[in-house]
Amino acid sequence: MRIGVIGPESTVEVIERVVTESLPNIVLVIKTTEFFEESDLLAQELQESGAVDAILFSGPLNYNYVLKRIKPSIPWGHLSHSRVSIYKAFLDASYKYHSDLKAISVDTYDLSIIQEVLSHMGITDFVINKPEYSVNDANLENTFYIFLASRIRMSMTFFKFLQHFWIET
């Protein structure tokens, strides 16, 4: 089976390593981009070329973005944000940046999972900020940049929306 993988290079490298080690019969066709808005062109190219049997997107943002623009002609899927990736992000924020995790800004993560993880960590006095957005927004990237820039100026912990930091392996 041949699977196309679309996402940022850092995430795709992890996917490639895991698949190569665990599923030697799977052949990956890698298409990297640091900008989710380019994912639709890559998906279209993979589908039309017949080079793959399925497409795996690095996360829900690029998957949903492309799904609104292109009709799948082969199976598509995406990696979900996991609790493990959230724990890792919080650990990094606490250890590397000395954050108390009392003010969190997120973009595409499910708020209930964020709240659950913080509660399991014993953090109950927190504020979570999330931008209002639609994957149909022509200026979606700019919307996220403005949101994250405003959070940074306020010295809040944030998750970068480009999806290339952490996935469960």
Side-chain angles (χ1 to χ4, degrees), residues 47-119:
Q47 280 194 155
E48 289 177 359
S49 71
V52 297
D53 303 305
I55 297 175
L56 176 65
F57 293 88
S58 61
L61 183 61
N62 62 349
Y63 170 81
N64 286 311
Y65 179 82
V66 175
L67 193 57
K68 297 282 185 186
R69 287 157 178 77
I70 298 173
K71 183 179 178 186
S73 62
I74 56 176
W76 289 5
H78 67 86
L79 296 176
S80 297
H81 292 139
S82 69
R83 284 168 183 76
V84 172
S85 65
I86 296 169
Y87 277 110
K88 182 179 182 327
F90 286 166
L91 179 63
D92 285 346
S94 296
Y95 181 74
K96 291 180 182 177
Y97 306 106
H98 310 291
S99 172
D100 62 6
L101 303 176
K102 297 291 185 181
I104 307 295
S105 294
V106 298
D107 45 35
T108 60
Y109 279 79
D110 181 327
L111 293 181
S112 64
I113 295 173
I114 300 288
Q115 292 167 336
E116 178 185 317
V117 168
L118 286 169
S119 295

Side-chain angles (χ1 to χ4, degrees), residues 30-41:
I30 305 295
K31 298 289 183 181
T32 61
T33 179
E34 299 303 318
F35 304 101
F36 70 90
E37 300 95 338
E38 297 173 352
S39 298
D40 55 345
L41 298 175

Side-chain angles (χ1 to χ4, degrees), residues 36-37 61 65 105-108 129-153 159-162:
F36 70 90
E37 300 95 338
L61 183 61
Y65 179 82
S105 294
V106 298
D107 45 35
T108 60
N129 298 289
K130 186 172 181 172
E132 295 293 325
Y133 69 92
S134 165
V135 294
N136 293 323
D137 182 357
N139 295 314
L140 183 57
E141 183 175 7
N142 193 46
T143 298
F144 282 142
Y145 280 135
I146 291 169
F147 172 76
L148 291 174
S150 71
R151 299 299 117 188
I152 292 168
R153 280 193 299 273
F159 291 131
K160 193 171 181 184
F161 80 96
L162 293 177

